[in-house]
Amino acid sequence: MSPTEQHPPVFERIATGVPGLDPILGGGLMASGVYIVVGEPGAGKTILANQLCYQQARQGTRCLYVTLLAESHSRMLANLRSMAFFDAAQLPQRIYYVSGFRMLEEQGLPGLLELLRREMRNHGAGILVLDGLVQAQEAAGSSRDFKKFIHELQVSAGLTRFTALLLTSSVGPTVHPEYTMVDGILELRERTAAMRSWRELQVRKFRGSASLSGSHHFRISEEGVEVFPRLETVVSREQPPDWGTQRVRFGVPTLDAMIPEGLAAASTTLVMGPPGCGKTILGASHLAEGLRLGEPGLMVSFYEGPDRLLHKAANVGLALGSAVRDGRLKLQWNMPVESNLDLVAHTLLEDVRKRGVKRLFVDGLSAMVETSHEPARISPFFAALTQELRRLGVTTFFTLETSRLFGPEMDVPLGTGLSGVAENLLFMRHLELNGRLRRLLSIFKLRDADYDPTLREFLITPQGIEVQPPFQPSPELLLTGIARFPGNHS
C-alpha cells in the first residue's frame, strides 16, 4: 500500500462565512473546488456568494466577482450595503467586481474563459464567483462546448489554486448532465404551502467529504443568509450519560411530597392541561427551585412576553426578575406565528451550551407545534431535541395546551411526538364545584420513581402554589366534570 493510500490527502477548507452552512458541508468548501449554486431568481444566491467573498476578504484572500447579467454593479452594491457583512473598505483591493457580459456577447465562451483567467491572474484572487452561469450556457454552441468550458475552468482552478462558485437559475432539469463534472451542487429554493412560504437549502452533491443530507431551513435577514441545519442531523448519536441517582424537585413542598424521591435529573416532564389551569406557574416554580440551588435556568415562551411572565411569577411569590438581571435566568420569547423548528432549537441549545443551563422551561408548546409547516417532522424533531438535552444534563419542563376545558377526559395531542419521549407526564384540568372553578392535578407517569397517583386540588395563592389533600369527588361528578349547588337544577 502506497503512502498516499495509507494517509489520504487532507484538503484545505474554505469558510463560507454563512452561519450554519459550514457544518452542513462538513467544515466548509474544499479549496480549489468548483461549485454550482442553483436556485430560482430571488432564492438568495447572490447574497450567499457575496457573503463568502466578504468573509474571505477579511481573512486576507482576494476575490473576483464576475457578473454576466445586465444589472449594474452599483445597483448590486446598493442592495448589499444594508447587510451586516458588507464592508466598503474591502473594495476594490480585496473584492473586485467585473462584468463579463460584453465579452460573452462578443467572443462567446472562449473569450469569457480568457477573461476569467486574466482577471484571476492580475488580481491574485483565491475566490472566483461567476454570477449568471445560465447566460454562459445559453451562449454555448452546443452542450459539448459548455462541458468543455466547465472542464477548462476546473483545470484552471486546480492549477492556479482558486475556489469557484458558479451561480445559475433553475431552468429545465434541476441537475443538468454537465453538472456532474463539478465538485459540488448547492440548491436554494423557496417552498409555499397555502399562504405560507419558507426557504430551504440542500447539498445535492459534495465531493471529498460527507455532508448533512436532506433539506435545511435558511432565512435572509440583515445578517445575510443564515442556515439552520436540521436538528435530527446534527445532534450527537452518543448515548446520554447515566446521571445516576441525581434528583430534582419542583420547590413546591406539597407537590414534592407526592414524589418522595424527586424527578430524575436530565429527564423530560410534560404538563398538559387547558388554558388557565396553572401550567406556567408550575413551570416557573421548577425554574425558581433550580435558581435557589445555583442552577442556571432558561425559559422559552410562545404566548406571553418576558415582562408579563415575570409579573405573573411575582404575583405568586416567585421573584425571578433579579435572576434575569444578573444572568442566572434568561427568557427567550418567540412570536407564535410560522415558527421555524430548527431556529427555535438552535437558539435554545446555543444558550444551554453557553451558560451551562441545568433547568429548561418551554411554555406554550402548542403554538410551536401548530404554527410549524412540517407536521410530519414533529415527532422526530422532539425525539432529537429531548435526547440532546438529556445528554447535556438539562432537566426539561414542557407545557402543552389541551382543547377540553372541563371534565375528566383529556385530549392528548399525540401528534406532537413529545408525549412518547417524555419520562414524566402530569395532567391538569378544571372542575366546576359549588359555584367556582377548581384546578386539579394528577401524575400519570414518572420515570424511575414511586409517586402518589391520587387526584389533587391545585391552589395558586399570593404566597405560592399549594397542592391539597387527595380530591374525592362523586362518581357522577367524575363523569360530568361539573358540579352544581344542592337544589340547583338549572
Side-chain angles (χ1 to χ4, degrees), residues 223-280:
E223 300 298 318
V225 174
E226 299 175 90
V227 186
F228 304 99
R230 203 168 72 258
L231 181 66
E232 299 91 311
T233 66
V234 295
V235 294
S236 174
R237 295 296 191 269
E238 297 179 1
Q239 182 177 346
D242 183 4
W243 298 101
T245 58
Q246 299 180 47
R247 296 285 168 171
V248 299
R249 299 185 180 278
F250 285 98
V252 180
T254 48
L255 175 58
D256 289 330
M258 297 177 65
I259 315 170
E261 300 176 45
L263 302 175
S267 64
T268 300
T269 298
L270 175 62
V271 179
M272 293 181 283
C277 67
K279 301 185 299 295
T280 301

Side-chain angles (χ1 to χ4, degrees), residues 134-166:
V134 66
Q135 275 73 29
Q137 185 176 2
E138 292 174 353
S142 65
S143 175
R144 183 174 180 275
D145 290 340
F146 187 59
K147 290 179 181 179
K148 182 179 178 182
F149 170 77
I150 298 292
H151 172 71
E152 293 185 356
L153 189 60
Q154 275 190 308
V155 172
S156 297
L159 293 176
T160 317
R161 296 191 60 78
F162 66 80
T163 304
L165 255 64
L166 314 178

